[in-house]
Amino acid sequence: MAEVFTLRDLEQWDRVGAGLSPVARLAVCGDPVAHSVSPAMHNAALAACGIEMQYVRLHLRAEELAHAFTILRETGAFLGVNCTIPHKVEALQLVDEVSSQAALLGAVNTVRCQGNRLHGFNTDGPGLQRAVQEQFGMALKGQRILVLGAGGGAGRAVAMFCALEGCRHLTLVNRTHEKTHALAKEIHGLGKGACECTAVEWTEAALADALRETDLLINCTAAGMKAGEASPLPARLLHDRLSVYDTIYTAHQTPLMVEAVAAGARAANGLSMLLHQGAIAFEIWFERPAPVEVMREALVKLGR
Ligand code: NAP
């Protein structure tokens, strides 16, 4: 299991890093971070490619991120990092350059450190795209998509990515409805060629109407993540023309997936998105294709 380091370790990285073999040049920063499965996936990829480095965990609190990024920038000790909860939005402000896609998605989950500059990217959107293609043989372009949880961090990025990819219609739904207003406005602001976008309230009647006209339902809520939690939607709203992508990856079969399959729909969990966002980060850091099957196997071995 990859070690967990702290800001204090990062401050003395000359000494701390010197004790590690192979050298640690990649990390995931989060709070909490001990549960992250990214080290297993990336360390398997590094070993398979014969790259003599390791990927570790960095436990950073929100108020520590800016200082940590200064160290990353000034020391050049790391080739790159991933950012997970709660750092993805803050990271956007702290990097020196941000890809236009990450800026529109409103979050950075991958940083490349290069020549004392930090470059921010978002691989969650493209990761989802590859996952949906792999699971359902479906492109996002041209689809009628409903994003449940569009007011959360992942939901916002996923919804904006679907809009940028040219989905036909986008329905934004969030338990706290107000959170989708600004996003709907931004999507309308993308201008000519942007998809039609509607923010609907989380009521059974509104959801029933919207789901009748939906091809792809993407669950970006955290509902169903913990054992014993119910599906975020009443089963009676699901139908057999739906493809249901649940971004939750902590369960093989989430409650939403079980009910979707019972309704005759296709369903997949978020493991493939996790895999592909990691593979795209690897491609950004090393400018070479990622060993996707090795990474997948590492996740499967963890029981994911
Ligand atoms: P977040 O920013 O905290 O957002 C949480 C979202 O879930 C909000 O929209 C929230 O609604 C909603 N929510 C929470 N509990 C709910 C409930 N009981 N009923 C309805 N809605 C509920 O978290 P996040 O980072 O976006 O993560 C959200 C989910 O995406 C998690 O399940 C995570 O595992 C998944 N994710 C997966 C991947 C992947 O690679 N597969 C990557 C990123 C995230 P309110 O706004 O009303 O609170």
Side-chain angles (χ1 to χ4, degrees), residues 99 101-102 105 107 109-110 121-134 140 157-158 160-162 164-165 272-281 283-284:
S99 73
Q101 198 175 63
L105 269 53
N109 78 329
T110 299
F121 301 86
N122 187 306
T123 69
D124 282 334
L128 170 90
Q129 183 179 40
R130 287 192 193 176
V132 167
Q133 184 67 49
E134 181 181 287
L140 299 175
V158 160
M160 180 54 92
F161 189 85
C162 292
L164 292 171
E165 278 304 300
S272 46
M273 176 176 169
L274 178 73
L275 167 70
H276 288 294
Q277 65 74 30
I280 298 166
E283 289 165 13
I284 288 170

Side-chain angles (χ1 to χ4, degrees), residues 146 148 173 200-212 232-234 237:
L146 187 149
L148 201 64
V173 190
V200 310
E201 294 216 35
W202 193 309
T203 64
E204 179 154 348
L207 280 166
D209 283 348
L211 282 166
R212 236 176 271 124
L233 288 177
L237 299 186

Side-chain angles (χ1 to χ4, degrees), residues 85 88 149 151-154 174-176 179 202 220-223 225 247-249 270 273-274:
I85 291 175
K88 292 185 190 184
N174 201 62
R175 182 178 59 179
T176 316
K179 288 193 190 170
W202 193 309
C220 294
T221 77
M225 236 175 128
T247 64
I248 292 175
Y249 55 82
M273 176 176 169
L274 178 73

Side-chain angles (χ1 to χ4, degrees), residues 135-136 217 219 223-224 229-233 235 238-239 242-272:
Q135 298 289 333
F136 304 136
L217 162 63
N219 177 36
E229 272 183 341
S231 162
L233 288 177
L238 302 168
H239 56 76
L242 277 177
S243 296
V244 178
Y245 193 86
D246 195 337
T247 64
I248 292 175
Y249 55 82
T250 47
H252 183 61
Q253 285 272 351
T254 66
L256 173 62
M257 286 170 65
V258 171
E259 291 178 357
V261 170
R266 301 189 291 179
N269 77 0
L271 187 80
S272 46

